[in-house]
Amino acid sequence: MSEISEQTRLKSPYPWQHQVWSRVEQSLQNQRLAHAIILAGPKGLGKQVFITAFGQRLLCSQPRDGMACGQCKSCQLNSAGTHPDLKWVLPEEAGKAIKIEQIRDLQSYLANTAQQGGRKVVVLGPVESLNVNAANALLKSLEEPSVGTHLLMFSHQLSSVLPTVRSRAQIVQAPMPSKEESLHWLSNLTDMDPQQLLELSNWSPLQALELCDADVFQEKSSVNKIIGSVYTGDLTIIAAVSKLHKLDMMSVLHCLLDHIDHNIRGMMSSKARSGQQSIQKLFDVRDKTLVLSQQLQKGANPNKQLALEELMLLYRRAAN
Ligand SMILES: [Zn+2]
């Protein structure tokens, strides 16, 4: 439940989001803001915070410098998490699908007028967790927007979002902080080594912050170590899988993706042409890992051991 209460407080954008914020704010001022937007980018960049903050700014009756004032009645309701004109549509359980019932509920909410007499805001995401039925139901709301209604959505994997939904929303790329920005931001929040935390998180500042929890850090470090040892051939695939299959599959897949991305970046920055074949192999494992994580997000229940064995084998081969 802590996540819910976290979502309901008055938010402000992260430092690395200010430029994009100004752009979106400018579109609003020029009355060119699309009624539906999708903020798209990898996990851990603070997309949900950004769109929540922007939704709260849209509801604020006296915004200051393009931000929610924090004092008007709307802002007070948002601080308490009780604003009747801000609707959340998120998976009921992390990693699960957004259900058709939730979209039907959204439709009846949209059919009513705003209770505070102003705008109505919907924060929905990740968009890729809508199943086909739910996405089709949402299309109607995207096609026939009611005046003053803003559908603010976010997506971690835009390529998995149905094209019919994608094409009806304005896509905004979530800003990535530079390494320096991430280091600076994180070093103000933790005594741990920010460089190490960020490297373990593929330079995603919010995932790095999560690692500040010692247990999470330990687990991620050890998963990373196991995956690294498979790649270098220091650990057999059977031994690796026997350790990994006891852990949370999504976390293992995220670690694997980070590891693969790190290797791809390393190979791409080295000039050696001999690496081309290996890069292709790495991309193949990456694709398979992504597909599996998407299936898990949609509630599939694959044979963990077999799936991990296949991925580890492919990863080991990519190293040769
Ligand atoms: Zn306000």
Side-chain angles (χ1 to χ4, degrees), residues 10 56-57 59-64 67-76 78:
L10 203 61
Q56 292 169 335
R57 178 261 170 271
L59 292 169
C60 172
S61 56
Q62 298 151 339
R64 279 189 219 144
M67 302 266 179
C69 74
Q71 276 157 10
C72 69
K73 188 170 177 213
S74 262
C75 285
Q76 282 175 13
N78 272 323

Side-chain angles (χ1 to χ4, degrees), residues 309-320:
E309 272 172 21
E310 190 196 357
L311 288 176
M312 287 299 113
L313 185 65
L314 287 171
Y315 197 40
R316 175 76 198 96
R317 286 186 183 151
N320 292 329

Side-chain angles (χ1 to χ4, degrees), residues 36-41 47 98 124-132 134-136 138-139 142 153-173 294 297-298:
I37 65 170
I38 299 180
L39 187 65
K47 297 188 293 297
I98 294 176
L124 183 150
V127 195
E128 59 274 17
S129 61
L130 289 164
N131 62 30
V132 177
N136 283 332
L138 179 71
L139 280 181
L142 289 171
M153 302 180 272
F154 63 94
S155 168
H156 307 310
Q157 276 167 9
L158 194 60
S159 58
S160 306
V161 175
L162 280 183
T164 41
V165 171
R166 233 166 31 204
S167 63
R168 282 166 179 81
Q170 182 185 344
I171 310 295
V172 178
Q173 288 303 327
Q294 286 164 3
Q297 263 178 5
K298 287 177 183 155

